[in-house]
């Protein structure tokens, strides 16, 4: 398979759909595997689950500018290729909630429900939440 990386994008053959609903093979860009790895490494360096000193608003303030930049840069061509980022950040926020608020720590479902309540009350708190709403 022929592919090449350029400016954080991987250009290769991908299945696309035209306006009539027919599928065809298209040579199009999406986020490169190396770029994904560097994003994961950057997020890992933040050590989000261990940042118990922040409130959820402070946590959002700290990470939103960087996440917004990644979304604006990589969201141009192949939008669904960024879903990994949104799901990964949601998992880390869940871990953060379970460590920060001890009453949720032992119960995974309770922590998820708490996050769902925050999401419904403040849908724009984290930038990646709007990315998930668009694709669902």
């Amino acid at each position: 398979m022929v592919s090449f990386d350029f400016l954080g994008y991987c250009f290769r053959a991908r299945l696309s759909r035209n306006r009539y609903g027919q599928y065809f093979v298209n040579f199009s860009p999406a986020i490169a595997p190396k770029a994904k790895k560097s994003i994961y490494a950057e997020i890992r360096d933040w050590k989000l689950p261990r940042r118990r000193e922040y409130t959820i608003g402070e946590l959002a303030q700290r990470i939103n500018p960087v996440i917004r930049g990644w979304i604006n840069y990589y969201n141009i061509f192949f939008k669904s290729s960024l879903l990994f980022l949104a799901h990964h950040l949601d998992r880390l926020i869940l871990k953060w909630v379970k460590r920060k608020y001890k009453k949720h720590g032992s119960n995974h479902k309770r922590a998820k429900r708490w996050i769902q309540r925050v999401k419904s009350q403040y849908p724009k708190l984290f930038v990646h939440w709007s990315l998930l709403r668009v694709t669902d």
Side-chain angles (χ1 to χ4, degrees):
M1 180 166 71
V2 177
S3 69
F4 67 93
D5 290 355
F6 182 67
L7 295 176
Y9 287 99
C10 177
F11 291 80
R12 68 174 177 87
R14 299 177 197 283
L15 198 61
S16 297
R17 191 169 53 191
N18 66 14
R19 61 182 162 189
Y20 305 112
Q22 299 165 331
Y23 289 96
F24 65 98
V25 177
N26 187 13
F27 201 77
S28 59
I31 187 169
K34 287 180 186 176
K36 271 187 184 181
K37 285 181 186 178
S38 68
I39 287 173
Y40 275 127
E42 171 111 13
I43 292 172
R44 194 176 317 114
D45 288 343
W46 293 345
K47 296 181 175 89
L48 287 183
R50 298 191 183 274
R51 302 291 183 178
R52 292 185 301 188
E53 68 272 10
Y54 299 140
T55 65
I56 194 157
E58 291 169 343
L59 190 68
Q61 261 184 339
R62 287 198 170 273
I63 70 171
N64 274 347
V66 178
I67 303 301
R68 185 177 296 114
W70 287 333
I71 289 173
N72 288 340
Y73 185 73
Y74 290 111
N75 206 19
I76 295 171
F77 296 108
F78 207 77
K79 294 175 185 356
S80 63
S81 67
L82 270 184
L83 290 179
F84 81 93
L85 176 64
H87 292 301
H88 183 62
L89 286 170
D90 276 350
R91 282 192 304 269
L92 290 177
I93 291 170
L94 181 67
K95 279 184 181 179
W96 176 83
V97 167
K98 289 169 76 171
R99 280 182 185 241
K100 169 99 174 159
Y101 303 107
K102 293 300 181 181
K103 66 181 179 181
H104 301 306
S106 61
N107 194 323
H108 187 77
K109 286 183 181 179
R110 192 179 311 152
K112 274 189 117 165
R113 274 184 294 198
W114 186 84
I115 290 174
Q116 288 301 327
R117 278 196 307 273
V118 171
K119 239 187 223 190
S120 65
Q121 289 176 351
Y122 307 102
K124 295 181 181 179
L125 182 64
F126 287 99
V127 175
H128 70 279
W129 285 353
S130 62
L131 180 70
L132 282 175
R133 266 188 292 119
V134 168
T135 56
D136 282 346

